[in-house]
Amino acid sequence: MLQAHTSDRAMIDARSRKRRGTAKPRSRVEKHRFDGRSREAVRIRQLETQYRAEIGEVAANPAVMQAIRRAAELTMFSEKQRATMIRGEPINLSDLLRLEGVAKRAIGSMRELAAQVRAEQLRQTIHLARFRFAAPVEGRNTRPDAPEAAGGRADSPPPRQMHWERPSGPARRLP
C-alpha cells in the first residue's frame, strides 16, 4: 500500500514538472519589473508621490490617478532618454524632444483634470449647502418633519397662468 502511494506521488510530480517546464523562467530583471523593484518602477512611484502631493486630495479620483500614473511614466521615460544622451550614447534627438513634449503635455493635462475635478467638487458642495441650509419659505409647510425643513428639495410653486391678449386693431385675415 505504501508503495502504491509513492508511485502515485511520483506520477503527480512528473505531470506537474511537465506543466512547469512549459513556462519560460523569468530573469532577475523581469522579476524586479513585475514586482516594482526596478529603478524605473521606483522612480515612477517617486514621481507619483510628488504629483499627488502637488495636486492634493483630488488625487483620489480614479481619472486623476490614471493621469498621474501616465504623467509619471512619461516623465521617467524622458528622464531616462535624457540621461542616455548625457552619457554620450547615440540617441535620436527628435525622439527625445518628442517624448519630452508628450511628458510635458501629460503633466499639463493632469493638472487641468485635477482643477476640473476640484471645481466640480466645489460646485457640488455649494449646491448641497444651498438646499441643506436654506431657510423655510413663508407660506410653505414648515413642520419639522417636512422635506424642506430636513434639507430636502421643496416642491416647486404652481405655474403662473399666462393671459394672452388680443392684439389691438383690426383683425387681419391670412391669404
Side-chain angles (χ1 to χ4, degrees):
M1 185 85 168
L2 184 63
Q3 200 172 32
H5 176 68
T6 308
S7 65
D8 289 341
R9 186 74 185 150
M11 192 169 21
I12 291 171
D13 287 342
R15 272 190 262 150
S16 61
R17 258 186 268 125
K18 188 176 182 181
R19 285 187 195 139
R20 274 186 274 165
T22 59
K24 181 181 174 189
R26 292 184 180 156
S27 69
R28 183 180 226 176
V29 173
E30 287 176 313
K31 287 179 184 176
H32 286 292
R33 284 208 173 126
F34 281 102
D35 65 6
R37 293 187 290 181
S38 67
R39 285 187 296 200
E40 292 88 3
V42 170
R43 181 61 182 150
I44 288 171
R45 279 197 306 274
Q46 287 175 344
L47 289 167
E48 284 178 349
T49 303
Q50 289 174 356
Y51 293 149
R52 279 193 197 106
E54 175 188 336
I55 289 175
E57 65 184 39
V58 181
N61 184 303
V64 176
M65 284 184 354
Q66 185 179 14
I68 288 172
R69 179 72 178 193
R70 178 179 165 84
E73 288 173 350
L74 288 169
T75 302
M76 185 276 305
F77 285 133
S78 67
E79 288 174 351
K80 193 173 177 181
Q81 279 288 87
R82 183 161 288 276
T84 303
M85 182 191 72
I86 290 171
R87 281 193 304 266
E89 297 175 17
I91 63 162
N92 188 346
L93 190 59
S94 175
D95 288 344
L96 171 65
L97 294 175
R98 194 172 295 146
L99 185 59
E100 285 182 342
V102 170
K104 182 179 178 182
R105 286 191 299 276
I107 293 170
S109 173
M110 170 197 68
R111 290 177 178 149
E112 183 179 333
L113 181 63
Q116 289 173 356
V117 169
R118 193 175 296 117
E120 181 61 30
Q121 286 177 349
L122 182 63
R123 275 194 297 270
Q124 288 176 356
T125 304
I126 290 171
H127 178 75
L128 290 175
R130 280 184 184 161
F131 287 105
R132 184 172 295 147
F133 302 112
V137 178
E138 294 264 341
R140 296 246 178 128
N141 189 355
T142 56
R143 295 177 305 158
D145 61 337
E148 53 269 8
R153 184 179 168 153
D155 293 334
S156 61
R160 294 183 358 188
Q161 294 291 329
M162 296 294 213
H163 299 287
W164 295 97
E165 297 179 14
R166 280 191 161 171
S168 60
R172 293 192 326 185
R173 294 187 183 188
L174 296 173

